[in-house]
Each structure stands twice: as C-alpha cells, then as structure tokens.
Amino acid sequence: MAQQLTDAFLIFALCVLAIACIFYLVRAVVGPGFSDRILAVNSIQTIVIIIICIIAVLQGESYLVDVALIYACMSFVTVIIICKAYLRSHHKDRANDLSNLKGGKDK
C-alpha cells in the first residue's frame, strides 16, 4: 500500500514538472530579453534532471542517476558557453556604438 502511494505521488510530481516545463518552454520562446530566455532554458534543464531522478526511483535503476549527473554537467557548460558568446557579441556592439559616438563628437 505504501509503495503504491509513493508511486502515485511520484507520477503526480512528474505531471506537475512536465506542465512547468511547458510553461518554461513558452517563456524561452516568447521571453522579452536574453536573460529571460537563458533562465527559462536553465530551468528546463533543471526540471529534466529532476524528472530523470524521479524515473530512476520509479524504475529502480541507479544508472539513471549517473545519466542525470552527466546531463547536469553538460547543461552547466552549455549555459556558460552561451552566456560567454552573448557577452562577447554584446561587448563588440557596445564598442562599435562608443566608437560611433566618439566619431560623431569630432564632426
């Protein structure tokens, strides 16, 4: 009886997490700014890690926790690379804007 109750709770948690993931996906697509999109993608990745761990408990397979840890490392590196690339392009745009402003003052 206790096992069935636990399984039902975990399945309910999976459903709630799936719905939250859908809302975050909408936020990632519609988000007004880059930071909103990055936070939404990072939240989706965190939810996926939690879902993998819940499935590991439901299935009784411990190797899925290892998969979740590898996915967590990959998602961390992915977010860092995307942010670094964005900041690099953002700084180039700001440098061009500043040089245009300086050139505009000399005229």
Side-chain angles (χ1 to χ4, degrees):
M1 178 69 174
Q3 184 65 34
Q4 291 175 344
L5 210 61
T6 304
D7 289 348
F9 176 74
L10 290 176
I11 291 171
F12 174 74
L14 284 175
C15 293
V16 170
L17 288 171
I19 291 169
C21 197
I22 291 171
F23 284 129
Y24 278 122
L25 185 62
V26 169
R27 185 63 173 176
V29 172
V30 178
F34 177 75
S35 60
D36 296 323
R37 290 186 172 106
I38 286 294
L39 287 174
V41 169
N42 198 11
S43 298
I44 290 170
Q45 292 172 343
T46 303
I47 289 173
V48 168
I49 293 167
I50 295 169
I51 287 173
I52 292 172
C53 289
I54 290 174
I55 291 173
V57 170
L58 284 172
Q59 297 292 324
E61 300 290 341
S62 61
Y63 73 89
L64 288 175
V65 177
D66 296 334
V67 171
L69 287 171
I70 292 169
Y71 183 76
C73 293
M74 288 177 22
S75 67
F76 173 74
V77 171
T78 303
V79 169
I80 296 296
I81 290 171
I82 290 171
C83 287
K84 197 169 207 99
Y86 173 75
L87 288 175
R88 186 174 293 136
S89 68
H90 180 70
H91 285 301
K92 284 182 184 177
D93 291 342
R94 290 215 40 173
N96 289 339
D97 290 343
L98 288 175
S99 66
N100 289 339
L101 287 175
K102 287 180 182 178
K105 288 183 180 179
D106 292 339
K107 290 182 180 179

